[in-house]
Amino acid sequence: MGNIIDGKVISEKIKDQVKKELELLKSKGITPKLVAVSVGENPASIVYMNQQKKNCEKIGINYEILQLPENISEIELCDNIEKLNKNQDVTGIILQLPLPKGIDSRKVQSKIAPEKDVEGVNPSNMGWILYGRAIIGPCTALAVKEIIEYTGVNLYGKEVVMVGHSDIVGKPVALLLVDKFATVSICHIGTFDAGKLEEHVKRAEILIVAVGKANLIPGDWIKEGAIVIDVGINKVGDKIVGDVEFDKAKERASWITPVPGGVGPVTTAILLRNIVVLTKMQKGV
Ligand code: NAP
C-alpha cells in the first residue's frame, strides 16, 4: 500500500515559513493586506471568502472584501481594480470567480497589477511560468509541484501524465514540471473521447488529475509504484471525493493524495506564501 500524503503536514511547513516572513515584515512595520473583489452574491464565493479571511487573519494578514453590485459594468470593475493597484496599503488582490455573464474574467484579471496578483492569474505572471522563471503562480499548480517535491522523487526523465488542461491547474502544472525535465503528456476531453485516456494513465510514473469527475480514473489504471496527485473535488452524496478511485489506487501507488486533505490544504498555504512573496517584493524587503 502507498504512502498517503497528508496535505496538512506540507501546509504547516509552508505556514511556518510564512510566519517567519511575516515577523520580518512586521519588524519593518509592514502588514500585508489582501483585498478580495466580489461581484454580486454567490454562495460558494461567500464560503470561500470566509475561509480566506479566517486563514489570513489567523496568520497575521489583513483581509478585506470589496463587495460590488451584480450589475456593475466591466469598465467599472476594472476601475475598482485600478484603484486597488494604486492603494499602497493593499498588497494583494483576488478576484472572486465566477463573474456575472457578460464580464470577461480573463480581461479583468489582466488588470490586476502583477505585483499584487496573489493568485498568479495575470498573463504576465503566467508568462513567467512559460519562461521557466516563475515568481509566483496559480496556487493549486504550485501546490501540486510542492507535493511532488515532498515525495523526494527526481523528476528528471519521469513519465508525467497531467489529466486536465485548465489554465489555472493543468497547463501551469505541465510547464512547471517540464522545467524539471520530466516528460509531460497533457490529457483532456479529446484524449478521453478518443478512448486513449487509459493508455496514457497506465504508463504514468507521476499522475496528476484535475478534472472534476468522481472516479474518472479507476484504481486498476494506476501503474505500480506511481505517484498520484488527485486535485479533483466532487460531491457524491454527502461525501467529498476526488477524480481517482482512491481505495483501489492506494494499493498500487507509492504515494497518493487523499481528497479531502491532500492538495486542498497545500493550496491554501501557497496563497498565504504568494501574499508574503509579493508584499516583500513591493516593499523591497
Ligand atoms: P476545469 O477548468 O473545469 O478543467 C477541467 C479539465 O478537465 C478540462 O481541461 C477538461 O477538458 C478536462 N476534462 C473534462 N472531462 C474530461 C475527461 N472525461 N477526461 C479527461 N479530461 C477531461 O477545472 P479546474 O479548475 O482545473 O479544476 C479541476 C478540478 O480540480 C475540479 O474538481 C476543481 O474543483 C478541483 N480544484 C481543486 C483545487 C484544490 O485546491 N484542491 C483547486 C482548484 C481546482 P475540456 O476543457 O477540453 O473539456
Side-chain angles (χ1 to χ4, degrees):
M1 192 175 110
N3 296 298
I4 294 170
I5 299 169
D6 186 347
K8 286 186 213 101
V9 170
I10 304 173
S11 157
E12 285 310 317
K13 257 179 63 182
I14 298 168
K15 283 189 199 166
D16 284 346
Q17 190 55 40
V18 169
K19 280 179 201 156
K20 283 189 194 132
E21 305 280 11
L22 283 168
E23 274 164 28
L24 175 71
L25 285 166
K26 206 172 166 189
S27 71
K28 296 180 185 300
I30 302 161
T31 305
K33 178 173 171 181
L34 178 63
V35 175
V37 179
S38 169
V39 181
E41 296 278 316
N42 179 325
S45 283
I46 292 168
V47 173
Y48 190 50
M49 287 189 292
N50 285 337
Q51 198 58 43
Q52 279 173 358
K53 184 174 163 66
K54 210 173 99 191
N55 293 331
C56 283
E57 289 177 351
K58 195 169 166 202
I59 208 160
I61 294 170
N62 292 335
Y63 186 91
E64 222 175 78
I65 296 170
L66 175 63
Q67 184 62 56
L68 298 169
E70 175 90 26
N71 61 356
I72 195 166
S73 70
E74 193 174 289
I75 294 174
E76 284 170 320
L77 177 54
C78 291
D79 285 347
N80 276 279
I81 302 269
E82 292 291 357
K83 274 189 205 142
L84 295 172
N85 287 342
K86 288 187 187 130
N87 185 336
Q88 297 287 318
D89 293 337
V90 176
T91 60
I93 303 167
I94 282 188
L95 179 67
Q96 300 294 332
L97 299 182
L99 293 173
K101 271 205 174 78
I103 299 187
D104 181 345
S105 56
R106 291 286 179 257
K107 207 165 148 190
V108 182
Q109 283 171 332
S110 76
K111 301 292 177 194
I112 302 174
E115 66 276 13
K116 295 193 180 184
D117 170 34
V118 295
E119 288 192 306
V121 289
N122 178 294
S124 162
N125 284 322
M126 286 285 192
W128 286 115
I129 296 179
L130 184 72
Y131 291 143
R133 290 171 54 187
I135 304 153
I136 58 152
C139 304
T140 309
L142 295 183
V144 169
K145 182 168 168 264
E146 198 80 29
I147 294 169
I148 292 173
E149 282 168 0
Y150 173 81
T151 68
V153 70
N154 180 2
L155 279 161
Y156 198 93
K158 286 284 183 308
E159 283 286 339
V160 174
V161 174
M162 174 72 238
V163 185
H165 69 152
S166 70
D167 295 341
I168 59 152
V169 188
K171 287 185 207 168
V173 162
L175 287 171
L176 289 166
L177 301 185
V178 151
D179 276 337
K180 300 286 173 195
F181 297 99
T183 307
V184 185
S185 310
I186 307 177
C187 301
H188 39 64
I189 194 69
T191 323
F192 179 84
D193 286 343
K196 292 180 180 168
L197 188 59
E198 178 176 356
E199 72 183 65
H200 285 285
V201 169
K202 280 189 164 170
R203 63 177 169 72
E205 294 171 285
I206 299 169
L207 174 70
I208 306 136
V209 190
V211 172
K213 288 195 177 132
N215 295 323
L216 174 70
I217 309 294
D220 60 7
W221 285 10
I222 305 299
K223 187 181 173 77
E224 254 342 299
I227 295 172
V228 179
I229 315 286
D230 191 351
V231 182
I233 302 174
N234 309 288
K235 201 157 188 264
V236 176
D238 57 359
K239 277 183 78 181
I240 300 289
V241 300
D243 292 343
V244 178
E245 192 189 11
F246 181 78
D247 286 340
K248 281 195 187 150
K250 78 174 190 303
E251 301 302 325
R252 302 171 68 88
S254 59
W255 294 87
I256 185 165
T257 56
V259 179
V263 176
V266 185
T267 300
T268 306
I270 297 280
L271 173 66
L272 301 173
R273 190 174 77 186
N274 278 354
I275 297 168
V276 166
V277 167
L278 292 186
T279 303
K280 282 178 72 185
M281 264 178 58
Q282 283 165 57
K283 306 293 180 190
V285 176

